[in-house]
Amino acid sequence: MITFKPQIAAFTVACGLAAGTALLAACSANDELSAESVITVGQQDYTEFDYWLQRNYVAPYNIRFKYRFEDNESDKNYYTVPSRYGDAVKLAHLVKYMCIEAYDEVGTIDFTRAYFPKLIFTIGEWEYRNNGTYILGTAEGGRKILLSGTNYLNQYLHSAADLNEYYLKTIHHEFTHILNQQRDYPAEFQLITGSGYVADKWSESPFDQGYLRRGFITAYAQHSDKEDMAEMLSTYICFPEETWNGWLAEAGTDGARSITAKLDIVKSYMLTAFNIDLDRLRSSIQRRQKQVMAGFIDLTDLKN
């Protein structure tokens, strides 16, 4: 799981509840509404997007990208809404081009077919927690990744840093958890800053500040060694070298030494366990990111 602490208090949950109330009020008093999702899709209901997903996800990788809301795929502890069609189309393109195909390029398609989760499920809203944070995504049992907040995608499309923070880093973070479930990472990783993990207090003062100097690449990395591992890998490959070097400078001598030691373990683990050169993967992702930002990739094309 990866969670995020927003800088501005969210109001969208209340708005969503109000909209839901209005919708229910429009129904007849005699109507009986199921508490479960009753959306069904037959072959005659397939959209152009469904056929595109069949060609680009199912046929080459046996991956299902679910954008229609399904009750049994959702966490009933949170108020969730479906992904908008157009936003789901763009997100599917981003995941394919900047994540799946980057792993193809570096690890071959056989690696991706073997390890990438077979189900990606999207929802339109973030999953808000009662501590002021919200969930960007989760990984379940090595087979499924949940991506939330799809309906906010358009407002972040013109910023590579925002796309990384809210969506793409989430994919790589959750995929790291899945790889760790296949082959565990070295025990010495958790010893580098072993006394610094603070679980759910990572978003509270004083832990929400100064984490770089304590040897953590993000505030959330302080949660546990498992989250630290996933944050190290996903942050390193998603952000450019100049950004990473700026963080190391901010971390100071001791903090940078700890972060670099962790990164060395992550690189060695990926190479020995999965034959993935993390620097090559980073170069592929950075190149693809620049192409998306330059408008060279049509995120709405459903013909190919």
Side-chain angles (χ1 to χ4, degrees), residues 236-293:
Y236 181 73
I237 62 178
C238 282
F239 290 91
E241 183 177 6
E242 57 269 24
T243 301
W244 183 269
N245 289 340
W247 287 329
L248 291 183
E250 185 179 345
T253 302
D254 292 340
R257 184 183 298 115
S258 294
I259 291 171
T260 301
K262 290 178 188 178
L263 180 61
D264 288 343
I265 293 176
V266 172
K267 287 183 176 182
S268 176
Y269 163 78
M270 289 296 290
L271 190 61
T272 57
F274 301 104
N275 198 30
I276 296 293
D277 184 322
L278 211 60
D279 287 312
R280 283 189 60 211
L281 180 61
R282 186 194 207 189
S283 295
S284 175
I285 291 170
Q286 293 303 309
R287 185 186 72 251
R288 292 166 182 271
Q289 186 178 98
K290 290 177 182 177
Q291 291 171 332
V292 169
M293 290 296 102

CSV table of all heavy atoms in Angstrom, one decimal, residues 236-293:
chain,number,residue,atom,x,y,z
A,236,TYR,N,13.5,6.2,-7.1
A,236,TYR,CA,14.7,6.3,-7.8
A,236,TYR,C,14.5,6.2,-9.3
A,236,TYR,O,15.0,7.0,-10.1
A,236,TYR,CB,15.7,5.2,-7.4
A,236,TYR,CG,17.0,5.2,-8.2
A,236,TYR,CD1,18.0,6.2,-7.9
A,236,TYR,CD2,17.3,4.3,-9.2
A,236,TYR,CE1,19.2,6.2,-8.6
A,236,TYR,CE2,18.5,4.3,-9.8
A,236,TYR,CZ,19.4,5.3,-9.5
A,236,TYR,OH,20.6,5.3,-10.2
A,237,ILE,N,13.6,5.3,-9.8
A,237,ILE,CA,13.4,5.1,-11.2
A,237,ILE,C,12.5,6.2,-11.8
A,237,ILE,O,12.5,6.5,-13.0
A,237,ILE,CB,12.9,3.7,-11.6
A,237,ILE,CG1,11.6,3.4,-10.9
A,237,ILE,CG2,14.0,2.7,-11.1
A,237,ILE,CD1,11.0,2.0,-11.3
A,238,CYS,N,11.6,6.8,-11.0
A,238,CYS,CA,10.6,7.7,-11.5
A,238,CYS,C,11.1,9.1,-11.6
A,238,CYS,O,10.7,9.9,-12.5
A,238,CYS,CB,9.4,7.7,-10.6
A,238,CYS,SG,8.3,6.3,-10.9
A,239,PHE,N,12.0,9.5,-10.8
A,239,PHE,CA,12.5,10.9,-10.8
A,239,PHE,C,13.9,11.0,-11.4
A,239,PHE,O,14.7,10.2,-11.3
A,239,PHE,CB,12.5,11.5,-9.4
A,239,PHE,CG,11.1,11.7,-8.8
A,239,PHE,CD1,10.5,10.6,-8.1
A,239,PHE,CD2,10.4,12.9,-9.1
A,239,PHE,CE1,9.2,10.8,-7.7
A,239,PHE,CE2,9.1,13.0,-8.6
A,239,PHE,CZ,8.5,12.0,-7.9
A,240,PRO,N,14.1,12.2,-12.1
A,240,PRO,CA,15.4,12.3,-12.8
A,240,PRO,C,16.6,12.5,-11.9
A,240,PRO,O,16.4,12.8,-10.7
A,240,PRO,CB,15.2,13.6,-13.6
A,240,PRO,CG,14.1,14.4,-12.9
A,240,PRO,CD,13.2,13.3,-12.3
A,241,GLU,N,17.8,12.3,-12.5
A,241,GLU,CA,19.0,12.3,-11.7
A,241,GLU,C,19.2,13.6,-10.9
A,241,GLU,O,19.6,13.6,-9.8
A,241,GLU,CB,20.2,12.1,-12.6
A,241,GLU,CG,21.5,12.0,-11.9
A,241,GLU,CD,22.7,11.7,-12.9
A,241,GLU,OE1,22.4,11.6,-14.1
A,241,GLU,OE2,23.8,11.5,-12.4
A,242,GLU,N,18.9,14.7,-11.6
A,242,GLU,CA,19.1,16.0,-10.9
A,242,GLU,C,18.2,16.2,-9.7
A,242,GLU,O,18.6,16.7,-8.6
A,242,GLU,CB,18.9,17.2,-11.8
A,242,GLU,CG,17.6,17.3,-12.5
A,242,GLU,CD,17.5,16.5,-13.9
A,242,GLU,OE1,18.4,15.6,-14.1
A,242,GLU,OE2,16.7,16.9,-14.7
A,243,THR,N,17.0,15.6,-9.7
A,243,THR,CA,16.1,15.7,-8.6
A,243,THR,C,16.6,14.8,-7.5
A,243,THR,O,16.7,15.2,-6.3
A,243,THR,CB,14.7,15.2,-9.0
A,243,THR,OG1,14.2,16.1,-10.0
A,243,THR,CG2,13.7,15.3,-7.8
A,244,TRP,N,17.1,13.6,-7.8
A,244,TRP,CA,17.6,12.7,-6.8
A,244,TRP,C,18.9,13.2,-6.2
A,244,TRP,O,19.0,13.2,-4.9
A,244,TRP,CB,18.0,11.3,-7.5
A,244,TRP,CG,18.5,10.3,-6.6
A,244,TRP,CD1,19.8,10.0,-6.2
A,244,TRP,CD2,17.7,9.3,-5.8
A,244,TRP,NE1,19.9,9.0,-5.3
A,244,TRP,CE2,18.6,8.6,-5.1
A,244,TRP,CE3,16.3,9.1,-5.8
A,244,TRP,CZ2,18.2,7.5,-4.3
A,244,TRP,CZ3,15.9,8.1,-4.9
A,244,TRP,CH2,16.8,7.3,-4.2
A,245,ASN,N,19.7,13.8,-6.9
A,245,ASN,CA,21.0,14.4,-6.4
A,245,ASN,C,20.6,15.6,-5.5
A,245,ASN,O,21.3,15.8,-4.5
A,245,ASN,CB,21.9,14.9,-7.5
A,245,ASN,CG,22.5,13.7,-8.2
A,245,ASN,OD1,22.6,12.6,-7.7
A,245,ASN,ND2,23.0,13.9,-9.4
A,246,GLY,N,19.6,16.3,-5.8
A,246,GLY,CA,19.2,17.4,-4.9
A,246,GLY,C,18.7,16.9,-3.6
A,246,GLY,O,19.0,17.5,-2.5
A,247,TRP,N,18.0,15.8,-3.6
A,247,TRP,CA,17.5,15.2,-2.3
A,247,TRP,C,18.7,14.7,-1.5
A,247,TRP,O,18.8,14.9,-0.3
A,247,TRP,CB,16.6,14.0,-2.6
A,247,TRP,CG,15.2,14.4,-3.1
A,247,TRP,CD1,14.6,15.6,-2.7
A,247,TRP,CD2,14.4,13.7,-3.9
A,247,TRP,NE1,13.3,15.6,-3.3
A,247,TRP,CE2,13.2,14.5,-4.1
A,247,TRP,CE3,14.5,12.5,-4.6
A,247,TRP,CZ2,12.1,14.1,-4.9
A,247,TRP,CZ3,13.4,12.1,-5.4
A,247,TRP,CH2,12.3,12.9,-5.6
A,248,LEU,N,19.7,14.1,-2.2
A,248,LEU,CA,20.9,13.7,-1.4
A,248,LEU,C,21.7,14.8,-0.8
A,248,LEU,O,22.2,14.7,0.3
A,248,LEU,CB,21.9,12.9,-2.4
A,248,LEU,CG,21.4,11.5,-2.9
A,248,LEU,CD1,22.5,10.9,-3.7
A,248,LEU,CD2,21.0,10.6,-1.7
A,249,ALA,N,21.7,15.9,-1.5
A,249,ALA,CA,22.4,17.1,-1.0
A,249,ALA,C,21.6,17.6,0.3
A,249,ALA,O,22.2,18.0,1.3
A,249,ALA,CB,22.5,18.2,-2.0
A,250,GLU,N,20.3,17.6,0.2
A,250,GLU,CA,19.5,18.0,1.3
A,250,GLU,C,19.6,17.1,2.5
A,250,GLU,O,19.5,17.5,3.7
A,250,GLU,CB,18.0,18.1,0.9
A,250,GLU,CG,17.1,18.7,1.9
A,250,GLU,CD,15.6,18.8,1.4
A,250,GLU,OE1,15.4,18.7,0.2
A,250,GLU,OE2,14.7,18.9,2.3
A,251,ALA,N,19.9,15.8,2.2
A,251,ALA,CA,20.0,14.8,3.3
A,251,ALA,C,21.2,15.0,4.2
A,251,ALA,O,21.2,14.5,5.3
A,251,ALA,CB,20.0,13.4,2.7
A,252,GLY,N,22.2,15.7,3.7
A,252,GLY,CA,23.4,15.8,4.4
A,252,GLY,C,24.3,14.6,4.4
A,252,GLY,O,23.8,13.6,3.8
A,253,THR,N,25.4,14.6,5.0
A,253,THR,CA,26.4,13.5,4.9
A,253,THR,C,25.8,12.2,5.4
A,253,THR,O,25.8,11.2,4.7
A,253,THR,CB,27.7,13.8,5.6
A,253,THR,OG1,28.2,15.0,5.1
A,253,THR,CG2,28.7,12.7,5.5
A,254,ASP,N,25.2,12.2,6.6
A,254,ASP,CA,24.8,11.0,7.2
A,254,ASP,C,23.5,10.4,6.5
A,254,ASP,O,23.4,9.2,6.3
A,254,ASP,CB,24.5,11.2,8.7
A,254,ASP,CG,25.7,11.4,9.6
A,254,ASP,OD1,26.8,11.1,9.1
A,254,ASP,OD2,25.6,12.0,10.7
A,255,GLY,N,22.6,11.3,6.2
A,255,GLY,CA,21.4,10.9,5.6
A,255,GLY,C,21.6,10.4,4.2
A,255,GLY,O,21.1,9.3,3.8
A,256,ALA,N,22.5,11.0,3.4
A,256,ALA,CA,22.9,10.6,2.1
A,256,ALA,C,23.6,9.2,2.1
A,256,ALA,O,23.4,8.4,1.3
A,256,ALA,CB,23.7,11.6,1.4
A,257,ARG,N,24.4,9.0,3.2
A,257,ARG,CA,25.1,7.8,3.3
A,257,ARG,C,24.1,6.6,3.5
A,257,ARG,O,24.2,5.5,2.9
A,257,ARG,CB,26.1,7.8,4.5
A,257,ARG,CG,26.9,6.5,4.6
A,257,ARG,CD,27.8,6.6,5.9
A,257,ARG,NE,28.8,7.7,5.8
A,257,ARG,CZ,28.8,8.7,6.6
A,257,ARG,NH1,27.9,8.8,7.5
A,257,ARG,NH2,29.7,9.6,6.4
A,258,SER,N,23.1,6.8,4.3
A,258,SER,CA,22.1,5.8,4.6
A,258,SER,C,21.3,5.5,3.3
A,258,SER,O,21.0,4.4,2.9
A,258,SER,CB,21.2,6.2,5.7
A,258,SER,OG,21.9,6.3,6.9
A,259,ILE,N,20.8,6.6,2.6
A,259,ILE,CA,20.0,6.4,1.4
A,259,ILE,C,20.8,5.7,0.3
A,259,ILE,O,20.3,4.8,-0.3
A,259,ILE,CB,19.5,7.8,0.9
A,259,ILE,CG1,18.5,8.4,1.9
A,259,ILE,CG2,18.9,7.7,-0.5
A,259,ILE,CD1,18.1,9.8,1.6
A,260,THR,N,22.1,6.1,0.2
A,260,THR,CA,22.9,5.4,-0.9
A,260,THR,C,23.2,4.0,-0.5
A,260,THR,O,23.2,3.1,-1.4
A,260,THR,CB,24.2,6.2,-1.0
A,260,THR,OG1,24.0,7.5,-1.4
A,260,THR,CG2,25.1,5.5,-2.1
A,261,ALA,N,23.3,3.7,0.7
A,261,ALA,CA,23.5,2.3,1.1
A,261,ALA,C,22.3,1.4,0.8
A,261,ALA,O,22.4,0.3,0.4
A,261,ALA,CB,23.9,2.2,2.6
A,262,LYS,N,21.1,2.0,1.1
A,262,LYS,CA,19.9,1.3,0.8
A,262,LYS,C,19.8,1.1,-0.7
A,262,LYS,O,19.4,0.0,-1.2
A,262,LYS,CB,18.7,2.1,1.3
A,262,LYS,CG,18.6,2.1,2.8
A,262,LYS,CD,17.4,3.0,3.2
A,262,LYS,CE,17.3,3.2,4.7
A,262,LYS,NZ,16.1,4.1,5.0
A,263,LEU,N,20.1,2.1,-1.5
A,263,LEU,CA,19.9,2.0,-3.0
A,263,LEU,C,20.9,1.0,-3.5
A,263,LEU,O,20.5,0.2,-4.4
A,263,LEU,CB,20.3,3.4,-3.6
A,263,LEU,CG,20.2,3.4,-5.1
A,263,LEU,CD1,18.8,3.1,-5.6
A,263,LEU,CD2,20.6,4.8,-5.6
A,264,ASP,N,22.1,0.9,-3.0
A,264,ASP,CA,23.0,-0.2,-3.4
A,264,ASP,C,22.4,-1.6,-3.2
A,264,ASP,O,22.5,-2.5,-4.1
A,264,ASP,CB,24.3,-0.1,-2.7
A,264,ASP,CG,25.1,1.1,-3.1
A,264,ASP,OD1,24.9,1.7,-4.2
A,264,ASP,OD2,26.1,1.5,-2.3
A,265,ILE,N,21.7,-1.8,-2.1
A,265,ILE,CA,21.1,-3.1,-1.8
A,265,ILE,C,19.9,-3.3,-2.8
A,265,ILE,O,19.8,-4.4,-3.3
A,265,ILE,CB,20.6,-3.2,-0.4
A,265,ILE,CG1,21.8,-3.2,0.6
A,265,ILE,CG2,19.7,-4.4,-0.2
A,265,ILE,CD1,21.4,-3.2,2.1
A,266,VAL,N,19.1,-2.3,-3.0
A,266,VAL,CA,18.0,-2.4,-4.0
A,266,VAL,C,18.5,-2.8,-5.4
A,266,VAL,O,18.0,-3.6,-6.0
A,266,VAL,CB,17.2,-1.1,-4.0
A,266,VAL,CG1,16.1,-1.2,-5.1
A,266,VAL,CG2,16.5,-0.8,-2.7
A,267,LYS,N,19.6,-2.1,-5.8
A,267,LYS,CA,20.1,-2.4,-7.2
A,267,LYS,C,20.6,-3.8,-7.2
A,267,LYS,O,20.4,-4.5,-8.2
A,267,LYS,CB,21.2,-1.4,-7.5
A,267,LYS,CG,20.8,0.0,-7.8
A,267,LYS,CD,22.0,0.9,-8.2
A,267,LYS,CE,21.6,2.3,-8.6
A,267,LYS,NZ,22.7,3.1,-9.0
A,268,SER,N,21.4,-4.2,-6.2
A,268,SER,CA,21.9,-5.6,-6.2
A,268,SER,C,20.8,-6.6,-6.2
A,268,SER,O,20.8,-7.7,-6.9
A,268,SER,CB,22.8,-5.8,-5.0
A,268,SER,OG,23.3,-7.1,-4.9
A,269,TYR,N,19.8,-6.4,-5.4
A,269,TYR,CA,18.6,-7.3,-5.3
A,269,TYR,C,17.9,-7.5,-6.6
A,269,TYR,O,17.7,-8.6,-7.0
A,269,TYR,CB,17.7,-6.7,-4.2
A,269,TYR,CG,16.3,-7.3,-4.3
A,269,TYR,CD1,16.0,-8.6,-3.8
A,269,TYR,CD2,15.2,-6.6,-4.8
A,269,TYR,CE1,14.7,-9.1,-3.8
A,269,TYR,CE2,13.9,-7.1,-4.8
A,269,TYR,CZ,13.7,-8.4,-4.4
A,269,TYR,OH,12.4,-8.9,-4.4
A,270,MET,N,17.6,-6.4,-7.3
A,270,MET,CA,16.9,-6.4,-8.5
A,270,MET,C,17.8,-7.2,-9.6
A,270,MET,O,17.2,-7.9,-10.4
A,270,MET,CB,16.5,-5.0,-9.0
A,270,MET,CG,15.4,-4.4,-8.2
A,270,MET,SD,13.9,-5.3,-8.3
A,270,MET,CE,13.4,-5.0,-10.0
A,271,LEU,N,19.1,-6.9,-9.6
A,271,LEU,CA,19.9,-7.6,-10.6
A,271,LEU,C,20.1,-9.1,-10.3
A,271,LEU,O,20.0,-9.9,-11.3
A,271,LEU,CB,21.3,-6.9,-10.6
A,271,LEU,CG,22.2,-7.3,-11.8
A,271,LEU,CD1,21.6,-6.9,-13.1
A,271,LEU,CD2,23.6,-6.6,-11.6
A,272,THR,N,20.3,-9.4,-9.1
A,272,THR,CA,20.5,-10.9,-8.8
A,272,THR,C,19.3,-11.7,-8.7
A,272,THR,O,19.2,-12.8,-9.2
A,272,THR,CB,21.3,-11.0,-7.4
A,272,THR,OG1,20.5,-10.4,-6.4
A,272,THR,CG2,22.7,-10.4,-7.5
A,273,ALA,N,18.2,-11.1,-8.3
A,273,ALA,CA,16.9,-11.8,-8.1
A,273,ALA,C,16.1,-11.9,-9.4
A,273,ALA,O,15.5,-12.9,-9.7
A,273,ALA,CB,16.1,-11.2,-7.0
A,274,PHE,N,16.2,-10.8,-10.2
A,274,PHE,CA,15.3,-10.7,-11.4
A,274,PHE,C,16.1,-10.3,-12.7
A,274,PHE,O,15.4,-10.1,-13.7
A,274,PHE,CB,14.2,-9.7,-11.1
A,274,PHE,CG,13.3,-10.1,-10.0
A,274,PHE,CD1,13.5,-9.4,-8.7
A,274,PHE,CD2,12.4,-11.1,-10.1
A,274,PHE,CE1,12.7,-9.8,-7.7
A,274,PHE,CE2,11.6,-11.5,-9.0
A,274,PHE,CZ,11.8,-10.8,-7.8
A,275,ASN,N,17.4,-10.1,-12.6
A,275,ASN,CA,18.2,-9.7,-13.8
A,275,ASN,C,17.7,-8.4,-14.3
A,275,ASN,O,17.7,-8.1,-15.6
A,275,ASN,CB,18.2,-10.8,-14.9
A,275,ASN,CG,19.3,-10.6,-15.9
A,275,ASN,OD1,20.4,-10.1,-15.5
A,275,ASN,ND2,19.1,-11.0,-17.1
A,276,ILE,N,17.3,-7.5,-13.5
A,276,ILE,CA,16.9,-6.1,-13.8
A,276,ILE,C,17.9,-5.1,-13.4
A,276,ILE,O,18.2,-5.0,-12.2
A,276,ILE,CB,15.5,-5.8,-13.2
A,276,ILE,CG1,14.4,-6.7,-13.7
A,276,ILE,CG2,15.2,-4.3,-13.5
A,276,ILE,CD1,14.0,-6.5,-15.1
A,277,ASP,N,18.5,-4.4,-14.4
A,277,ASP,CA,19.5,-3.4,-14.1
A,277,ASP,C,18.7,-2.1,-13.8
A,277,ASP,O,18.0,-1.6,-14.7
A,277,ASP,CB,20.4,-3.2,-15.4
A,277,ASP,CG,21.5,-2.1,-15.1
A,277,ASP,OD1,21.2,-1.1,-14.5
A,277,ASP,OD2,22.6,-2.3,-15.7
A,278,LEU,N,18.7,-1.7,-12.6
A,278,LEU,CA,17.8,-0.5,-12.2
A,278,LEU,C,18.2,0.8,-12.9
A,278,LEU,O,17.3,1.6,-13.2
A,278,LEU,CB,17.9,-0.4,-10.7
A,278,LEU,CG,16.7,0.2,-10.0
A,278,LEU,CD1,15.5,-0.8,-10.2
A,278,LEU,CD2,16.9,0.4,-8.5
A,279,ASP,N,19.5,0.9,-13.2
A,279,ASP,CA,19.8,2.2,-14.0
A,279,ASP,C,19.3,2.1,-15.4
A,279,ASP,O,18.9,3.2,-15.9
A,279,ASP,CB,21.3,2.4,-13.9
A,279,ASP,CG,21.8,2.8,-12.5
A,279,ASP,OD1,21.2,3.7,-12.0
A,279,ASP,OD2,22.8,2.2,-12.0
A,280,ARG,N,19.3,1.0,-16.0
A,280,ARG,CA,18.8,0.9,-17.4
A,280,ARG,C,17.2,1.1,-17.3
A,280,ARG,O,16.7,1.7,-18.2
A,280,ARG,CB,19.0,-0.5,-18.0
A,280,ARG,CG,20.5,-0.7,-18.5
A,280,ARG,CD,20.5,-2.0,-19.2
A,280,ARG,NE,19.6,-2.0,-20.4
A,280,ARG,CZ,19.0,-3.1,-20.8
A,280,ARG,NH1,19.3,-4.3,-20.2
A,280,ARG,NH2,18.2,-3.1,-21.9
A,281,LEU,N,16.6,0.6,-16.3
A,281,LEU,CA,15.2,0.7,-16.1
A,281,LEU,C,14.9,2.2,-15.9
A,281,LEU,O,13.9,2.8,-16.5
A,281,LEU,CB,14.6,-0.1,-15.0
A,281,LEU,CG,13.1,0.0,-14.7
A,281,LEU,CD1,12.3,-0.5,-15.9
A,281,LEU,CD2,12.8,-0.8,-13.4
A,282,ARG,N,15.6,2.9,-15.1
A,282,ARG,CA,15.5,4.3,-14.9
A,282,ARG,C,15.6,5.1,-16.2
A,282,ARG,O,14.8,6.0,-16.5
A,282,ARG,CB,16.5,4.8,-13.9
A,282,ARG,CG,16.3,6.2,-13.4
A,282,ARG,CD,17.5,6.7,-12.7
A,282,ARG,NE,17.2,7.7,-11.7
A,282,ARG,CZ,18.2,8.4,-11.1
A,282,ARG,NH1,19.4,8.2,-11.3
A,282,ARG,NH2,17.9,9.4,-10.2
A,283,SER,N,16.6,4.8,-17.0
A,283,SER,CA,16.8,5.5,-18.2
A,283,SER,C,15.6,5.3,-19.2
A,283,SER,O,15.2,6.2,-19.9
A,283,SER,CB,18.1,5.0,-18.9
A,283,SER,OG,19.2,5.3,-18.1
A,284,SER,N,15.1,4.1,-19.2
A,284,SER,CA,14.0,3.8,-20.1
A,284,SER,C,12.8,4.6,-19.6
A,284,SER,O,12.1,5.3,-20.5
A,284,SER,CB,13.6,2.3,-20.1
A,284,SER,OG,12.4,2.1,-20.8
A,285,ILE,N,12.5,4.6,-18.3
A,285,ILE,CA,11.3,5.4,-17.8
A,285,ILE,C,11.5,6.9,-18.0
A,285,ILE,O,10.5,7.5,-18.4
A,285,ILE,CB,11.2,5.0,-16.3
A,285,ILE,CG1,10.7,3.6,-16.2
A,285,ILE,CG2,10.1,6.0,-15.7
A,285,ILE,CD1,10.7,3.1,-14.8
A,286,GLN,N,12.7,7.4,-17.8
A,286,GLN,CA,12.9,8.8,-18.0
A,286,GLN,C,12.7,9.2,-19.4
A,286,GLN,O,12.2,10.3,-19.7
A,286,GLN,CB,14.3,9.2,-17.5
A,286,GLN,CG,14.5,9.1,-16.0
A,286,GLN,CD,13.5,9.9,-15.2
A,286,GLN,OE1,13.3,11.1,-15.4
A,286,GLN,NE2,12.8,9.2,-14.3
A,287,ARG,N,13.2,8.4,-20.4
A,287,ARG,CA,13.1,8.7,-21.8
A,287,ARG,C,11.6,8.7,-22.2
A,287,ARG,O,11.1,9.6,-22.9
A,287,ARG,CB,13.8,7.7,-22.6
A,287,ARG,CG,13.8,8.0,-24.1
A,287,ARG,CD,14.4,6.8,-24.9
A,287,ARG,NE,13.6,5.6,-25.0
A,287,ARG,CZ,13.9,4.5,-24.4
A,287,ARG,NH1,15.0,4.4,-23.6
A,287,ARG,NH2,13.1,3.5,-24.5
A,288,ARG,N,10.9,7.7,-21.7
A,288,ARG,CA,9.4,7.6,-22.0
A,288,ARG,C,8.7,8.8,-21.4
A,288,ARG,O,7.7,9.3,-22.0
A,288,ARG,CB,8.9,6.3,-21.5
A,288,ARG,CG,9.5,5.1,-22.3
A,288,ARG,CD,9.2,3.7,-21.6
A,288,ARG,NE,9.8,2.6,-22.3
A,288,ARG,CZ,9.1,2.0,-23.3
A,288,ARG,NH1,7.9,2.3,-23.6
A,288,ARG,NH2,9.7,1.0,-23.9
A,289,GLN,N,9.1,9.1,-20.2
A,289,GLN,CA,8.4,10.3,-19.5
A,289,GLN,C,8.6,11.6,-20.3
A,289,GLN,O,7.6,12.3,-20.5
A,289,GLN,CB,9.0,10.4,-18.1
A,289,GLN,CG,8.3,11.5,-17.3
A,289,GLN,CD,9.0,11.5,-15.9
A,289,GLN,OE1,9.8,12.4,-15.6
A,289,GLN,NE2,8.6,10.6,-15.0
A,290,LYS,N,9.8,11.8,-20.9
A,290,LYS,CA,10.0,13.0,-21.7
A,290,LYS,C,9.1,13.0,-22.9
A,290,LYS,O,8.6,14.0,-23.4
A,290,LYS,CB,11.5,13.1,-22.0
A,290,LYS,CG,12.4,13.4,-20.8
A,290,LYS,CD,13.8,13.5,-21.2
A,290,LYS,CE,14.7,13.8,-20.0
A,290,LYS,NZ,16.2,13.7,-20.3
A,291,GLN,N,9.0,11.8,-23.5
A,291,GLN,CA,8.2,11.7,-24.7
A,291,GLN,C,6.7,12.0,-24.5
A,291,GLN,O,6.0,12.6,-25.3
A,291,GLN,CB,8.4,10.3,-25.3
A,291,GLN,CG,9.7,10.0,-25.9
A,291,GLN,CD,10.0,8.6,-26.3
A,291,GLN,OE1,9.4,7.7,-25.7
A,291,GLN,NE2,10.9,8.4,-27.3
A,292,VAL,N,6.2,11.5,-23.3
A,292,VAL,CA,4.8,11.8,-22.9
A,292,VAL,C,4.6,13.3,-22.7
A,292,VAL,O,3.7,13.9,-23.2
A,292,VAL,CB,4.4,11.0,-21.7
A,292,VAL,CG1,3.1,11.5,-21.1
A,292,VAL,CG2,4.3,9.5,-22.0
A,293,MET,N,5.6,13.9,-22.0
A,293,MET,CA,5.5,15.3,-21.6
A,293,MET,C,5.6,16.2,-22.9
A,293,MET,O,5.0,17.2,-23.0
A,293,MET,CB,6.6,15.7,-20.7
A,293,MET,CG,6.4,15.2,-19.3
A,293,MET,SD,4.9,15.8,-18.4
A,293,MET,CE,3.8,14.4,-18.6
